[in-house]
Amino acid sequence: MSSPLLLALRRLEALDLQPSHREVLEEVRSRLSRGRLYVAAVGEFKRGKSTLLNALVGSLVLPTGALPLTNVITLLEHGEPGLTVTFRDGSTRDLPIDQLQSFVSEDLNPGNRLQVRWALVRCPSPFLQGGLVLVDTPGFESLHSSQTQEAREYLPRIDLALFALSVDSPMSAREMALLKDLSSTVPEVILVLNKIDFLSRDELDRMIRYLSSAVERELSRPLPVFPVSARLSHQDPFAWGLAALREHLSSTLKSQGTRIQLSANERRLLSVVGSISASASVELDSLRQPVQVLKDRIDRFLSGVEELRLRRSDAEALVMKDVDSLVARMDRELDRLRRDLPDLVVQRLQDQARRISASSRGDMARAAEEAMDLKSAAQDRLEERGRELTHLLRQLEEIEREISPRD
Ligand SMILES: Nc1nc2c(ncn2[C@@H]2O[C@H](COP(=O)(O)OP(=O)(O)OP(=O)(O)O)[C@@H](O)[C@H]2O)c(=O)[nH]1
Ligand SMILES: [Mg+2]
């Protein structure tokens, strides 16, 4: 395992992180130790992604069909036949493989109402033996927008993408935009031009030239194109392009698998660093708002407290409605303060307000004084938080340099 990445991973793990960031780090750690290459079929709906992956493993494991179908991420890895479904709440179920369709297809699990996070299918295909994990993703741009979302969220987890295109609509502007996104997120992308059984040899040659030059123009680099007929490849894998694609994937895993995995994990760690830095910077900027604004808000809150204290001294004459409107005014100020102050301080101010509105005269005077003290406590806490965030941002810059050192 590469030591700079591991070092950066350890330093990130030691930070106080959101669960989503922690999950990425856990996944990076497990990916670095297991040495698998995650190869995903990605593309718009009905380009033949599921059919293609079935062809690669040589068995009809994944459901396919004429209507937008795959709606859940499905992983295929080597092993004795079996299916494990992981749900969004983290629970898992082991099931017979023939149940797969009930969990991953739009017709049996519409809108993913079963809340499946992903399904893992183990199959004994020799193609998966070397450590390739094939990933079927839902199609982009169907009328089921949740499918696009599921697929998009999975992109950062892909090591190598098979971008599926179909000869009946060679490349739309939307597909080109998706390809650009993909090639900036995933270290290795190859184009798979499917359904070539619709074309003559001559038409196919022209289409490949057209695609190659359009992609090179847009991405400023060429991408390999593999023409296939996923549906007919079982008849003759050599004639229908499958053998060449299989060979390319197996040799890429052997000769470049480690480099691709490191590059993918490096991107994942950098994206965690970027996301923590962005939220720390936003928080720091909001703390740097003129302290005067904050003081004014606390003063407004305290003037409500004071008014309440005076009115309560004339308790007999006080109509409860007045107390309510004052408390409501203080609550509004508290809401505004909540946006700018750490939770703990707001909580204390809120407790003060409650105590004041319910206390006897003597207690009220004391509580109001305590509330005054909170003004300086709040400022101290803000300054301390500012120092913490500045320190965090410096640490993140160091980690970023460790992950991708610049000379
Ligand atoms: N003629 C022809 N049809 C194909 C080929 N590959 C797939 N198909 C057909 O295209 C349709 C869509 O295939 P799927 O594999 O379900 O497509 P998909 O991209 O997984 O679709 P979603 O899961 O909805 O995104 C099916 O009817 C397939 O039989 C091919 O090589 N040639
Ligand atoms: Mg599919």
Side-chain angles (χ1 to χ4, degrees):
M1 191 184 305
S2 145
S3 57
L5 265 197
L6 194 58
L7 191 69
L9 181 61
R10 282 208 197 103
R11 292 191 62 181
L12 284 170
E13 282 169 343
L15 300 176
D16 182 19
L17 299 173
Q18 290 172 14
S20 60
H21 291 146
R22 199 155 287 288
E23 194 185 281
V24 177
L25 300 189
E26 274 163 21
E27 183 144 353
V28 167
R29 184 166 279 284
S30 119
R31 295 261 183 123
L32 285 171
S33 63
R34 289 178 83 206
R36 301 273 172 90
L37 197 71
Y38 285 72
V39 175
V42 180
E44 291 203 351
F45 65 107
K46 302 288 65 123
R47 298 306 187 245
K49 300 177 293 301
S50 307
T51 310
L52 175 71
L53 299 188
N54 282 342
L56 285 170
V57 296
S59 103
L60 300 178
V61 203
L62 299 165
T64 62
L67 290 175
L69 195 106
T70 311
N71 65 352
V72 163
I73 297 292
T74 310
L75 299 106
L76 302 177
E77 71 173 28
H78 190 263
E80 283 310 306
L83 163 67
T84 304
V85 178
T86 301
F87 296 88
R88 288 196 195 286
D89 64 6
S91 61
T92 57
R93 271 174 78 189
D94 288 322
L95 297 151
I97 287 193
D98 60 10
Q99 303 258 315
L100 180 66
Q101 186 155 0
S102 326
F103 293 93
V104 303
S105 69
E106 190 59 39
D107 47 353
L108 298 181
N109 176 18
N112 191 12
R113 65 175 175 210
L114 298 174
Q115 297 287 302
V116 178
R117 184 139 197 237
W118 46 56
L120 170 67
V121 179
R122 285 170 297 277
C123 68
S125 162
F127 184 65
L128 300 175
Q129 227 159 10
L132 284 177
V133 178
L134 294 180
V135 186
D136 194 16
T137 65
F140 279 75
E141 309 296 349
S142 77
L143 289 178
H144 308 285
S145 57
S146 66
Q147 296 182 348
T148 300
Q149 199 184 329
E150 294 279 337
R152 191 169 287 287
E153 281 172 12
Y154 196 79
L155 297 188
R157 292 185 149 90
I158 301 171
D159 296 323
L160 188 155
L162 305 173
F163 188 67
L165 292 164
S166 171
V167 296
D168 43 2
S169 126
M171 171 85 90
S172 67
R174 266 186 340 209
E175 282 175 311
M176 187 60 94
L178 172 57
L179 177 62
K180 275 182 165 172
D181 266 10
L182 197 59
S183 59
S184 66
T185 317
V186 173
E188 207 70 19
V189 181
I190 63 183
L191 303 179
V192 177
L193 180 59
N194 191 27
K195 308 196 188 182
I196 59 169
D197 47 290
F198 283 132
L199 299 184
S200 69
R201 184 72 237 179
D202 184 46
E203 285 171 319
L204 178 60
D205 287 344
R206 274 190 284 139
M207 189 171 286
I208 293 175
R209 279 199 298 278
Y210 166 79
L211 265 182
S212 304
S213 68
V215 166
E216 185 164 1
R217 206 170 40 244
E218 287 291 326
L219 303 186
S220 310
R221 66 183 168 109
L223 290 183
V225 184
F226 286 84
V228 299
S229 168
R231 184 147 81 178
L232 300 187
S233 58
H234 64 279
Q235 295 172 1
D236 183 346
F238 290 92
W240 294 115
L242 194 76
L245 179 60
R246 274 202 185 123
E247 169 54 29
H248 179 81
L249 290 174
S250 302
S251 68
T252 303
L253 173 67
K254 267 196 215 105
S255 62
Q256 298 184 59
T258 312
R259 176 193 64 78
I260 296 172
Q261 279 159 13
L262 286 180
S263 157
N265 286 312
E266 186 180 300
R267 286 168 192 237
R268 286 170 198 134
L269 290 190
L270 284 173
S271 89
V272 170
V273 170
S275 149
I276 310 173
S277 299
S279 59
S281 305
V282 168
E283 193 181 340
L284 194 59
D285 282 351
S286 80
L287 290 187
R288 282 180 182 146
Q289 269 184 4
V291 175
Q292 194 53 45
V293 173
L294 193 65
K295 275 192 186 151
D296 291 350
R297 286 193 184 159
I298 295 183
D299 282 344
R300 272 210 299 278
F301 168 73
L302 289 174
S303 76
V305 171
E306 181 59 12
E307 204 175 321
L308 185 61
R309 192 175 70 82
L310 293 174
R311 297 253 203 131
R312 284 293 294 267
S313 65
D314 196 10
E316 257 61 54
L318 192 70
V319 186
M320 257 345 253
K321 215 167 70 206
D322 287 352
V323 177
D324 287 348
S325 78
L326 269 172
V327 170
R329 202 179 93 197
M330 281 160 42
D331 272 346
R332 277 198 302 278
E333 286 306 326
L334 272 172
D335 273 345
R336 292 202 189 100
L337 281 168
R338 198 172 287 122
R339 275 187 266 133
D340 300 325
L341 285 175
D343 283 351
L344 199 68
V345 176
V346 174
Q347 184 64 49
R348 283 176 67 193
L349 284 171
Q350 208 161 24
D351 291 348
Q352 294 284 348
R354 268 195 217 108
R355 272 169 55 200
I356 290 168
S357 56
S359 62
S360 70
R361 267 175 71 177
D363 284 349
M364 267 191 280
R366 208 171 329 110
E369 271 161 31
E370 280 173 23
M372 288 287 193
D373 292 344
L374 278 175
K375 185 159 70 169
S376 60
Q379 268 172 255
D380 289 352
R381 179 70 189 103
L382 286 186
E383 278 163 24
E384 190 188 320
R385 181 73 185 138
R387 282 192 296 275
E388 282 168 13
L389 289 169
T390 313
H391 177 66
L392 174 65
L393 284 169
R394 249 186 248 124
Q395 274 183 300
L396 291 169
E397 274 168 23
E398 273 173 36
I399 295 175
E400 195 173 351
R401 276 197 299 276
E402 274 166 20
I403 297 174
S404 53
R406 281 176 222 109
D407 11 66

